[in-house]
């Protein structure tokens, strides 16, 4: 099978400070993965190509990169399914991080965020002599999260990190959930209060915009965003609902429950709180730009036609 | 100046366990690894970790006996006793650290059956136990505050008056060479599987520690004992866990027969790995296979069961063979997987070189002898990683650092590496030499071996060695120059390959993983002993060491 692998290359030592796209036309096996193709290039065609890879079986997490613009593991992506009509596969380093060389991304930020969540079990009660006795279901639930191989595909494609590098990001937050949901972590009831409090701070769990990108690109089915949302529930339940994120969620629910649609004008007000004058003033420039571009939401918020149906739905949910 | 009481090379399970133990014993410990710790190959252990828990009616002696029988009586029984006694506490420790082990109905740790063992004593996290353990060990490493040199490649061991005084290392990201002083060095660099082609092993498994130690006079022992795993995917050689058979999968030939009836009527598919691999290869050679494979059949286990117990290997099967094991059998065959041999150590991880320790797959304590039982390798890494770390920490107390001049050492090493980079670009690259070596090893030093075959490989290795001495490196840069790293790794691999081949030629009997068609029987009178390889002036030299037998007398091995 003939394929052209188009690699975004970057060499910090060359005179050319920018990246270049280089094409490698090669013949590969029908079953070959994108990683197989890259290894073949490295071994047979071009020894100067740098990438990280090791296990070839989606367990070490080394080979996360962008394939045709989307984050994923090269070893878990079939070459035959990645070619465009001209037989081209585009490969570039993981996003949201600097590039060290070629397909090698600088993962320092990634590991720092993992370290930031204090990634180790912190039981507050007494440690038993034998194992902790916990349900199999609780462990299976956690194992679906600990299946995360820290490859960074989710971080590469996270739309929040794209604009705010301080965000903890999907991988670290999913890792955090692995502890907050562990019956052995936290107090005797398995509630990790301290963690939930810290994770609720700015740049934490409430900064996720639920774009679902991390769920889509995760090669291990970890579904980071779903874990983040489950953590929201844990936080509110633990009494950490008095913050922008939780209020934002409440305002969402309230608005839709009342009128059947989002009241975009009042949403930010309710999120930061009506008495929070500095934050409200902070919205002024956005409001002004919206108005001058004709994008200001209507001042009078009307209900949708069949709002009664939605209200009934809410009632049923509450029951 | 970088200096540490205990410097651990390699950050897999053994390495991280050693570093944490050293730190807990009060040492200034550090860990250095060519990949980030969670990228290490311990990840690949799928099936589980063995331990005999007394509250489950099991006992360590039974575990020890199964291990010794599995080893074909070549394992040192004192070391096996140490491992099996420590297993229970090591397992509970890992659980307390946060491993999400599967549970039984009462919420206690659940078990699964594994090959070569009479009771189910394998504890597991789905079918990614190694990854689960490795990540938790990394969490503990973060917690411990041990200094970690990530993506640093150790290029040589620095010796002074016959004892270790430090290492030189290449910082991969910058290309800078460093000298690190150390009172003790613990090698935890894993096996050398990539010198076979194909292999289940990750691309980083290149015998670095074995090569480094061998080059300063350490003993490599039982190197002929190379495990071929019964269930690997054709082509890439990627592993499908023994957990599949542990959970009830069948092996079938092209006619649909469960051929293990002929070879191990009692244990069937769960006989020891060497036995199952030989049976498969025999059937394939007799024309009863399917395109050089036999079938691993899980279809009777049901979708729900497979999704709970074997989710990852089902994915692997789909990704790499296009077969969904819920619906159809997956073609598999024996493939190189593990080396029982390695750097000879005592039960505290000490080698014959003062200050150098080894633990994990690169070491040979020896607990696996001629054949390792599935799920004993994770246990080995944790038990002996911990023992090495503690011992090295104690041994470094009251010892002062060497006063070698680091600038001088760095300059010498830089010169050596520059000479390699400056070689002309003609001649075969490392990749071609490695593939030829891998093919030769897999052809002649595999499941079935003969004098003629092994000799052919030894001769081929001499030629490859010659070509290696002038191997070019195409990438001349400093930053992330993996081309240079691979060339250096190949040197370690060739040394290991030679040690494996000459040991296999030397052992004129069949025991464990070594099956000689020209000597098909086990011969306790002449060969109940370890074969040792050390580096002599003119090449490798062979010697012998006795097998330690405590209370289990060698007997005929049947499953």
């Amino acid at each position: 099978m003939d394929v052209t692998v188009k690699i975004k290359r970057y060499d910090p030592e060359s005179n050319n400070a920018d990246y270049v796209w280089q094409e490698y036309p090669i013949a590969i096996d029908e079953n070959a993965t994108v990683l197989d193709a890259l290894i073949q290039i490295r071994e047979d065609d071009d020894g100067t190509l740098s990438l990280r890879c090791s296990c070839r079986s989606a367990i070490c997490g080394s080979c996360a990169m962008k394939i045709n613009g989307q984050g994923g593991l090269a070893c878990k992506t079939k070459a035959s399914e990645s070619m465009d009509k001209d037989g081209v596969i585009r490969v570039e380093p993981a996003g949201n991080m600097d590039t060290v060389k070629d397909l090698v991304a600088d993962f320092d930020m990634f590991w720092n965020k993992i370290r930031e969540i204090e990634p180790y079990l912190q039981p507050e009660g007494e440690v038993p002599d034998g194992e902790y006795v916990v349900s199999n279901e609780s462990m299976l639930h956690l194992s679906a999260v600990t299946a995360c191989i820290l490859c960074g595909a989710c971080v590469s494609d996270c739309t929040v990190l794209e604009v705010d590098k301080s965000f903890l990001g999907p991988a670290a937050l999913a890792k955090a959930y692995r502890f907050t949901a562990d019956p052995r972590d936290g107090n005797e009831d398995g509630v990790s209060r301290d963690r939930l409090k810290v994770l609720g701070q700015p740049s934490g769990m409430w900064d996720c915009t639920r774009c679902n990108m991390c769920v889509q690109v995760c090669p291990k089915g970890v579904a980071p965003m779903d874990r983040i949302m489950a953590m929201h529930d844990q936080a509110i339940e633990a009494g950490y609902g008095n913050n922008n994120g939780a209020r934002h969620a409440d305002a969402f629910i309230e608005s839709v429950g009342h009128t059947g649609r989002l009241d975009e004008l009042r949403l930010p007000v309710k999120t930061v709180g009506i008495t929070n004058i500095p934050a409200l003033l902070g919205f002024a420039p956005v409001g002004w730009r919206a108005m001058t571009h004709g994008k200001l939401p209507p001042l009078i918020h009307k209900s949708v036609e069949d709002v009664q149906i939605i209200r009934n739905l809410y009632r049923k949910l509450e029951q | 100046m970088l200096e540490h009481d205990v410097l651990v090379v390699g950050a897999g399970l053994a390495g991280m366990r050693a570093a944490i133990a050293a730190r807990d014993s009060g040492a200034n410990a550090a860990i250095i690894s060519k990949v980030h710790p969670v990228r290490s190959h311990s990840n690949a252990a799928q099936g589980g970790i063995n331990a005999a828990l007394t509250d489950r009616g099991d006992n360590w002696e039974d575990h020890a006996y199964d291990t010794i029988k599995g080893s074909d009586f070549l394992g040192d029984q004192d070391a096996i006793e140490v491992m099996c006694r420590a297993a229970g506490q090591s397992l509970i420790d890992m659980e307390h650290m946060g491993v999400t082990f599967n549970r039984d109905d009462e919420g206690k740790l659940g078990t699964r059956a594994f090959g070569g063992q009479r009771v189910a004593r394998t504890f597991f996290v789905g079918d990614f136990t190694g990854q689960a353990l490795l990540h938790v060990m990394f969490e503990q490493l973060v917690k411990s505050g041990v200094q970690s040199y990530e993506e640093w490649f150790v290029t040589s061991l620095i010796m002074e008056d016959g004892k270790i005084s430090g290492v030189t290392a290449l910082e991969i990201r910058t290309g800078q060479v460093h000298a690190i002083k150390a009172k003790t060095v613990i090698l935890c660099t894993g096996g050398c599987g990539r010198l076979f082609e194909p292999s289940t092993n990750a691309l980083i498994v290149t015998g670095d520690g074995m090569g480094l130690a061998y080059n300063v006079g350490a003993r490599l022992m039982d190197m002929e004992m190379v495990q071929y795993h019964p269930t690997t995917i054709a082509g890439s050689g990627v592993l499908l866990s023994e957990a599949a058979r542990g959970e009830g999968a069948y092996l079938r030939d092209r006619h649909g027969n469960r051929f293990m009836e002929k070879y191990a009527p009692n244990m069937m598919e769960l006989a020891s790995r060497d036995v199952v691999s030989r049976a498969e290869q025999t059937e394939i050679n007799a024309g009863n296979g399917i395109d050089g494979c036999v079938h691993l059949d899980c279809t009777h286990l049901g979708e729900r069961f497979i999704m709970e117990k074997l989710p990852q290997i089902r994915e692997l099967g789909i990704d790499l063979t296009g077969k969904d094991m819920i619906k159809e059998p997956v073609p598999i065959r024996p493939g190189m997987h593990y080396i029982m041999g390695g750097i000879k150590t005592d039960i505290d991880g000490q080698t014959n070189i003062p200050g150098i320790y080894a633990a994990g797959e690169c070491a040979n304590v020896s607990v696996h002898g001629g054949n390792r039982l599935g799920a004993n390798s994770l246990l080995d890494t944790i038990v002996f990683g911990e023992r090495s770390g503690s011992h090295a920490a104690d041994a470094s107390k009251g010892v002062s650092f060497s006063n070698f001049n680091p600038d001088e050492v760095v300059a010498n090493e830089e010169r050596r590496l520059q000479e390699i980079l400056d070689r002309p670009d003609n001649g075969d690259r490392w990749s071609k030499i490695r593939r030829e070596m891998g093919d030769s090893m897999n052809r002649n030093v595999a499941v079935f071996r003969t004098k003629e075959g092994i000799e052919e490989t030894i001769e081929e290795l001499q030629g490859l060695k010659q070509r290696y001495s002038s191997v070019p490196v195409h990438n001349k840069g400093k930053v992330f120059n993996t081309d240079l790293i691979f060339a250096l790794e190949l040197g370690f691999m060739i040394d290991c390959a030679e040690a494996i081949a000459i040991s296999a030629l030397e052992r004129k009997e069949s025991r464990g993983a070594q099956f000689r068609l020209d000597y098909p029987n086990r011969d306790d009178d002449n060969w109940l002993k370890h074969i040792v390889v050390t580096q002599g002036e003119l090449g490798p030299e062979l010697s012998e060491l006795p097998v330690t037998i405590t209370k289990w007398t060698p007997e005929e091995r049947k499953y």
Side-chain angles (χ1 to χ4, degrees):
Chain A
M1 188 170 77
D2 290 328
V3 59
T4 300
V5 187
K6 197 172 165 187
I7 303 176
K8 188 178 179 182
R9 300 203 56 186
Y10 168 69
D11 180 3
E13 295 172 270
S14 87
N15 297 325
N16 185 354
D18 219 351
Y19 63 83
V20 286
W21 285 96
Q22 190 165 352
E23 292 190 3
Y24 297 92
I26 56 169
I28 53 171
D29 197 72
E30 298 285 333
N31 268 329
T33 62
V34 172
L35 181 64
D36 290 333
L38 292 171
I39 290 174
Q40 189 176 320
I41 292 167
R42 181 170 82 178
E43 296 198 350
D44 296 347
D45 304 308
D46 189 347
T48 68
L49 176 68
S50 298
L51 66 140
R52 293 191 185 96
C53 62
S54 183
C55 75
R56 308 161 296 140
S57 50
I59 199 76
C60 79
S62 303
C63 67
M65 56 187 72
K66 283 200 171 190
I67 299 158
N68 297 327
Q70 194 175 55
L73 293 177
C75 72
K76 205 177 166 7
T77 310
K78 278 236 167 88
S80 59
E81 290 163 13
S82 310
M83 296 188 290
D84 65 12
K85 59 180 180 0
D86 301 317
V88 175
I89 306 172
R90 268 184 310 121
V91 184
E92 51 193 309
N96 282 330
M97 293 176 250
D98 294 333
T99 302
V100 176
K101 181 177 185 292
D102 298 337
L103 300 172
V104 179
D106 180 352
F107 263 63
D108 283 358
M109 172 194 86
F110 180 89
W111 297 120
N112 287 338
K113 290 184 190 301
I114 297 290
R115 283 169 189 269
E116 211 175 310
I117 59 124
E118 298 190 0
Y120 38 86
L121 199 71
Q122 298 180 32
E124 288 162 25
E126 216 162 284
V127 177
D129 285 340
E131 71 267 45
Y132 285 93
V133 176
V134 291
S135 73
N136 193 38
E137 286 65 37
S138 68
M139 289 296 112
L140 289 179
H141 176 68
L142 286 182
S143 291
V145 189
T146 59
C148 168
I149 54 176
L150 299 174
C151 70
C154 59
V155 165
S156 159
D157 288 26
C158 173
T159 54
V160 177
L161 277 168
E162 215 175 296
V163 292
D164 178 10
K165 294 284 183 264
S166 74
F167 179 43
L168 270 176
L173 285 169
K175 180 99 183 161
Y177 175 76
R178 172 258 163 281
F179 296 107
T180 62
D182 194 321
R184 301 167 295 182
D185 194 84
N187 68 20
E188 308 242 311
D189 298 327
V191 180
S192 311
R193 296 189 59 86
D194 294 347
R195 287 186 192 276
L196 290 167
K197 188 176 174 191
V198 174
L199 293 163
Q201 289 170 356
S203 303
M205 64 168 104
W206 298 103
D207 282 22
C208 165
T209 59
R210 311 185 193 186
C211 73
N212 207 44
M213 194 59 101
C214 57
V215 179
Q216 275 181 48
V217 301
C218 175
K220 304 298 284 190
V222 173
M225 186 192 78
D226 296 352
R227 313 304 175 182
I228 295 170
M229 282 161 67
M231 211 150 47
H232 289 167
D233 293 344
Q234 292 173 335
I236 290 169
E237 200 154 305
Y240 297 117
N242 191 22
N243 57 51
N244 286 0
R247 279 194 301 266
H248 186 75
D250 283 343
F252 234 90
I253 296 166
E254 197 190 307
S255 174
V256 175
H258 188 61
T259 64
R261 69 171 107 198
L262 208 54
D263 184 349
E264 289 180 87
L265 208 59
R266 279 158 196 84
L267 186 68
V269 179
K270 288 194 170 166
T271 297
V272 298
I274 189 84
T275 54
N276 190 349
I277 306 297
L280 290 174
L281 285 175
F283 291 132
V286 183
W288 176 253
R289 278 204 303 279
M291 203 156 76
T292 53
H293 288 78
K295 290 188 174 173
L296 198 70
L299 291 175
I300 300 162
H301 183 69
K302 288 186 188 153
S303 299
V304 295
E305 258 177 43
D306 298 323
V307 68
Q308 209 49 48
I309 299 174
I310 292 166
R311 287 182 190 158
N312 285 341
L313 270 174
Y314 265 61
R315 216 164 298 136
K316 271 189 186 156
L317 270 174
E318 273 161 21
Q319 282 164 12
Chain B
M1 178 66 216
L2 308 173
E3 52 184 36
H4 300 283
D5 297 335
V6 179
L7 180 63
V8 182
V9 184
L13 268 177
M16 288 197 279
R17 188 71 197 88
I20 293 165
R23 167 91 177 197
D24 288 347
S25 302
N28 160 14
I31 196 161
I32 183 168
S33 169
K34 65 181 178 179
V35 294
H36 185 279
V38 305
R39 310 294 182 221
S40 303
H41 190 53
S42 308
N43 265 328
Q46 295 168 345
I49 175 167
N50 291 330
L53 292 190
T54 45
D55 67 348
R56 249 120 300 183
D58 201 357
N59 67 77
W60 72 265
E61 278 119 327
D62 284 352
H63 181 194
Y65 173 75
D66 287 344
T67 301
I68 291 161
K69 182 179 169 188
S71 83
D72 219 346
F73 297 90
L74 189 66
D76 284 334
Q77 296 183 6
D78 55 340
I80 291 170
E81 286 189 22
V82 166
M83 181 176 80
C84 296
R85 276 176 198 269
Q89 193 55 51
S90 296
L91 177 77
I92 297 297
D93 288 348
M94 290 303 302
E95 197 277 332
H96 288 171
M97 290 175 193
V99 177
T100 54
F101 284 111
N102 285 48
R103 308 285 157 150
D104 61 18
D105 293 341
E106 293 166 25
K108 302 181 86 176
L109 299 178
T111 54
R112 68 161 43 121
F114 237 58
Q117 301 181 73
R118 294 159 297 163
V119 299
R121 64 167 72 89
T122 304
F123 298 87
F124 63 101
V125 182
D127 55 357
F128 58 100
T129 315
Q131 186 217 321
L133 262 60
L134 184 76
H135 281 228
V136 166
M137 199 62 91
F138 172 63
E139 294 165 12
Q140 296 299 309
L141 188 80
V142 170
K143 187 180 172 191
S144 75
V146 165
Q147 180 163 1
S148 179
Y149 300 96
E150 285 151 18
E151 299 192 322
W152 285 39
F153 180 80
V154 172
T155 54
S156 71
L157 302 178
I158 307 168
M159 304 295 294
E160 205 175 61
D161 303 328
K163 57 178 205 283
I164 191 77
S165 60
V167 308
T168 58
L170 184 66
E171 187 179 356
I172 298 173
R173 193 158 149 173
T174 61
Q176 201 184 337
V177 177
H178 301 268
I180 309 176
K181 289 190 180 179
K183 295 173 184 172
T184 55
V185 167
I186 308 179
L187 298 169
C188 301
T189 55
C192 56
R194 293 314 308 178
L195 67 88
F196 285 80
E197 187 64 50
S199 162
T200 64
N201 288 192
L203 303 177
I204 55 172
V205 185
T206 53
D208 306 355
M210 295 182 200
L212 286 166
Y214 177 70
N215 282 313
V216 297
R219 302 165 173 156
L220 299 181
M221 186 171 91
D222 303 330
M223 291 298 280
E224 72 279 19
M225 296 304 179
V226 175
Q227 181 165 81
Y228 272 64
H229 193 289
T231 52
T232 72
I233 294 172
S236 63
V238 167
L239 174 72
L240 289 185
S241 172
E242 184 164 311
R245 282 170 293 135
E247 298 292 357
Y250 300 145
L251 293 170
R252 297 185 190 278
D253 63 16
R254 59 186 292 214
H255 312 291
N257 296 327
R258 286 178 68 190
F259 56 85
M260 283 311 296
E261 275 168 6
K262 287 187 266 177
Y263 304 90
N266 298 316
M267 300 284 275
M268 295 292 286
E269 282 85 357
L270 283 177
S272 225
R273 286 179 177 174
D274 56 331
V275 175
V276 181
S277 284
R278 267 196 298 280
E280 289 177 1
Q281 197 61 51
T282 305
E283 294 298 323
I284 293 167
N285 292 350
N288 296 325
I290 310 101
D291 297 330
C293 293
V294 291
H295 274 153
L296 178 71
D297 183 3
C298 299
T299 52
H300 57 288
L301 297 178
E303 177 169 357
R304 207 183 139 176
F305 184 88
I306 290 173
M307 292 311 290
E308 180 182 328
K309 300 281 180 64
L310 308 165
Q312 306 261 358
I313 63 168
R314 172 180 171 255
E315 285 263 321
L316 272 180
I318 294 171
D319 288 346
L320 302 176
T321 70
K323 311 265 190 224
D324 182 349
M325 60 167 61
I326 292 172
K327 296 181 193 135
E328 57 189 326
V330 181
I332 51 83
R333 66 177 185 192
M336 189 281 163
H337 180 56
Y338 186 90
I339 182 156
M340 276 67 75
I343 306 160
K344 157 75 177 150
T345 73
D346 66 10
I347 54 170
D348 294 312
Q350 295 190 93
T351 69
N352 59 317
I353 310 291
I356 299 184
Y357 292 70
E361 190 174 344
C362 78
N364 182 358
V365 190
S366 67
V367 286
H368 308 306
N371 170 68
R372 174 175 68 75
L373 291 186
N376 263 354
S377 58
L378 289 178
L379 180 61
D380 170 16
T381 63
I382 288 165
V383 170
F384 293 103
E386 182 178 4
R387 290 181 71 94
S388 305
S390 307
H391 198 279
D394 291 344
S396 63
K397 280 173 190 152
V399 178
S400 48
F401 286 106
S402 156
N403 52 10
F404 70 73
N405 177 351
D407 295 339
E408 205 174 291
V409 170
V410 167
N412 286 337
E413 193 64 359
E414 279 173 344
R415 201 172 310 123
R416 182 175 80 94
L417 298 177
Q418 195 57 48
E419 276 168 19
I420 297 173
L421 291 171
D422 288 344
R423 285 175 190 160
D425 275 352
N426 50 7
D428 291 331
R429 286 180 61 207
W430 54 267
S431 43
K432 187 159 194 298
I433 298 176
R434 201 209 68 217
R435 279 201 290 265
E436 283 182 36
M437 169 176 65
D439 290 343
S440 181
M441 293 297 287
N442 199 46
R443 190 169 67 243
N444 291 325
V445 201
V447 175
F448 294 114
R449 304 168 174 179
T450 62
K451 176 173 180 285
E452 292 70 27
I454 302 168
E455 281 175 346
E456 181 183 82
T457 286
I458 290 174
E459 201 179 308
E460 285 167 359
L461 285 173
Q462 298 316 307
L464 294 172
K465 240 173 144 173
Q466 192 58 39
R467 282 154 65 193
Y468 175 70
S469 65
S470 59
V471 72
V473 174
H474 285 187
N475 188 351
K476 311 294 181 193
K478 293 246 178 246
V479 177
F480 230 92
N481 186 345
T482 44
D483 208 26
L484 173 63
I485 305 275
F486 298 147
L488 295 171
E489 288 171 345
L490 180 58
F492 299 137
M493 282 195 275
I494 291 177
D495 284 341
C496 293
E498 195 175 25
I500 292 169
I502 63 167
S503 302
L505 184 65
E506 175 73 0
R507 184 173 289 281
K508 294 172 186 62
E509 64 153 357
S510 292
R511 178 189 302 272
Q514 154 106 341
F515 196 94
R516 287 281 297 262
L517 290 168
D518 40 358
Y519 300 96
N521 298 314
R522 195 175 87 189
D523 176 5
D524 284 348
D525 292 340
N526 293 305
W527 292 104
L528 185 58
K529 60 190 177 193
H530 300 292
I531 294 172
V532 174
V533 184
T534 45
Q535 193 180 50
E537 273 177 33
L538 299 169
E541 284 173 4
L542 287 163
S543 57
E544 291 164 2
L545 279 171
V547 173
T548 306
I549 289 171
T550 56
K551 56 182 176 189
W552 290 277
T553 329
E555 62 193 17
E556 197 192 349
R557 185 163 167 255
K558 274 189 192 156
Y559 285 104

